[in-house]
Amino acid sequence: VSCNKKFDEPPVYQAPDITPDLTIADLKAMHVNGKFEQITMDKTIGGVVIADDRSGQFYKTIIIQDETGGISVNLDGYDLYTKFPVGRKVYIKVNGLYLGDYNKLIEIGGGIDNTGSSPRLDDIPSVLIDQYVIKGNLDNVVTPKEVHVADLNDTYQNMLIRLNDFEFSSADTSKTFADPTLGSSAVNYTIKSCSGESILLRNSSYADFAGYKLPGGNGYITAIYTVFGTTKQLNIRDSSDVKFYGARCGGGGTGAVV
């Protein structure tokens, strides 16, 4: 004789009632490129996760954005998307954390790592993540800012943006987003608009979409805006961020999936 045992449902997460008292823009303004700053203010920033590590494009990182800007948060953990998925509001208690930058891309971390040839910003240790990063509610929507490449400056760092009327070069349309055989390397492509603007798109070879073929048409791209020194770059979260299925500049093929 079998029995039908009922199990208790897990409790529904109750998001805390927290009001941030520091904006991301004001936090980033405290940083000097090439330096490290330990934050000693008892303040809290808040933002919505706009990128996580689900696809493998971002590693040990979430990116959050509020109404003033975005910032990369370095966390010593894996499968971060299970706790901090895109759309989740998070609050970060910044007292005791550090600001740094990776060749001018500003980040928050847990300390300074001096074990290499040059110091770098260290991740927030896994055992301390919950002490500093607090989960808020889910399913928040961040609308990407529609911009032109010429508009992009440091205020847009780590923000979700959209560029319209772009495409890959015809020589690249037979290629894939990256090369899964390259390990830790990444692949760069220059995408161009019909009006002559261009920007670099950088894809990790660890991304689960690395082997997908590039779309051959023209359209819009949603991405995180980043920099490497003076180079403007885009990082997509997944291949679905690239909607290049319209007619190419000059009326060429669409590259649409048939």
Side-chain angles (χ1 to χ4, degrees), residues 48-58 63 65 85-87 142-144 159-161 177 201-203 207-209 221-225 234-242:
V48 176
V49 177
I50 56 171
D52 58 35
D53 61 353
R54 178 186 291 269
S55 72
Q57 175 79 320
F58 296 87
I63 298 174
Q65 178 179 325
V86 168
V142 174
T143 302
M159 291 185 70
L160 193 65
I161 66 164
F177 278 92
L201 173 64
R202 185 170 176 83
N203 299 319
D208 60 11
F209 58 86
I221 182 170
T222 301
I224 308 297
Y225 172 62
L234 300 179
N235 292 99
I236 57 175
R237 287 89 50 89
D238 189 80
S239 58
S240 61
D241 277 340
V242 184

Side-chain angles (χ1 to χ4, degrees), residues 211-226:
Y212 294 3
K213 185 180 177 182
L214 297 175
N218 180 279
Y220 67 89
I221 182 170
T222 301
I224 308 297
Y225 172 62
T226 64

Side-chain angles (χ1 to χ4, degrees), residues 176-187 203-212:
T176 57
F177 278 92
D179 185 346
T181 68
L182 290 180
S184 60
S185 298
V187 174
N203 299 319
S204 170
S205 293
Y206 282 129
D208 60 11
F209 58 86
Y212 294 3

Side-chain angles (χ1 to χ4, degrees), residues 189-201:
Y189 290 106
T190 298
I191 58 173
K192 297 182 179 181
S193 72
C194 296
S195 61
E197 289 193 312
S198 64
I199 193 169
L200 202 69
L201 173 64

Side-chain angles (χ1 to χ4, degrees), residues 22-33 35-41 43-48 59-66 68-77 80 90-113 120-125 128-129 131-134 157-158:
L22 183 67
T23 68
I24 290 176
D26 285 342
L27 178 66
K28 291 165 67 175
M30 302 173 189
H31 176 64
V32 177
N33 279 329
K35 304 292 185 181
F36 298 96
E37 297 91 9
Q38 185 176 23
I39 306 165
T40 57
M41 304 178 303
K43 298 284 187 180
T44 301
I45 61 171
V48 176
Y59 177 66
K60 291 189 174 184
T61 298
I62 60 172
I63 298 174
I64 68 170
Q65 178 179 325
D66 69 5
T68 70
I71 195 165
S72 176
V73 185
N74 298 347
L75 303 172
D76 185 19
L80 297 170
V90 298
Y91 306 93
I92 301 179
K93 297 179 179 180
V94 298
N95 191 14
L97 297 179
Y98 284 75
L99 288 169
D101 66 88
Y102 183 66
N103 206 351
K104 298 186 179 180
L105 185 67
I106 302 174
E107 307 169 317
I108 308 175
I112 304 172
D113 182 354
R120 69 171 187 87
L121 190 68
D122 207 357
D123 303 331
I124 299 174
L128 298 180
I129 290 176
Q131 175 180 318
Y132 288 105
V133 186
I134 301 167
Q157 271 197 27
N158 278 319

